[in-house]
């Protein structure tokens, strides 16, 4: 059984995402660039991090499926939409009951 996919008419905003995936043997950052259509929600929210500091989030991006299947953990990076750039604070990949990734959500700062 699978959940219904995100409808294509909601995924209309073109986005460029650059994930920082670590360092090469010379200490240079290794980056993975992903381009695709997403749903952008620009809603300001506040959350508390592990050290009890308030973090101001600027919005969220939703993508259908797994946008970076080669990365086991999505952490850090930059998202660009229409010349505007946001820092990626966190990412989530909720799964279908059969174990496949339903969508990818990026929390933006």
């Amino acid at each position: 059984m699978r959940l219904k996919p995100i409808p294509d008419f909601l995924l209309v905003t073109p986005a460029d995402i650059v994930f920082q995936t670590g360092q090469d043997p010379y200490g240079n950052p290794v980056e993975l660039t992903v381009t695709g259509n997403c749903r952008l929600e620009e809603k300001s929210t506040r959350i508390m991090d592990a050290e009890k500091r308030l973090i101001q989030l600027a919005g969220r991006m939703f993508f259908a499926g797994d946008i970076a299947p080669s990365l086991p953990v999505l952490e850090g990076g930059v998202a660009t939409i229409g010349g505007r750039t946001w820092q990626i604070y966190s990412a989530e990949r909720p799964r279908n009951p059969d174990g496949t990734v339903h969508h990818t959500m990026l929390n933006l700062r």
Side-chain angles (χ1 to χ4, degrees), residues 28-103:
N28 299 323
V30 177
E31 297 177 341
L32 172 68
T33 303
V34 179
T35 303
N37 288 340
C38 71
R39 176 179 177 207
L40 175 66
E41 291 182 356
E42 290 187 76
K43 181 181 176 185
S44 179
T45 57
R46 292 182 187 169
I47 61 170
M48 281 193 144
D49 66 357
E51 297 170 358
K52 305 289 184 189
R53 293 179 297 194
L54 276 177
I55 304 292
Q56 182 83 23
L57 296 179
R60 294 189 291 188
M61 297 171 73
F62 293 91
F63 294 88
D66 192 356
I67 61 170
S70 62
L71 298 178
V73 177
L74 299 177
E75 55 182 329
V78 175
T80 304
I81 296 176
R84 191 167 170 203
T85 303
W86 288 280
Q87 179 185 4
I88 298 172
Y89 177 72
S90 65
E92 298 177 26
R93 290 191 257 199
R95 298 193 177 266
N96 288 313
D98 63 0
T100 60
V101 175
H102 181 262
H103 68 275

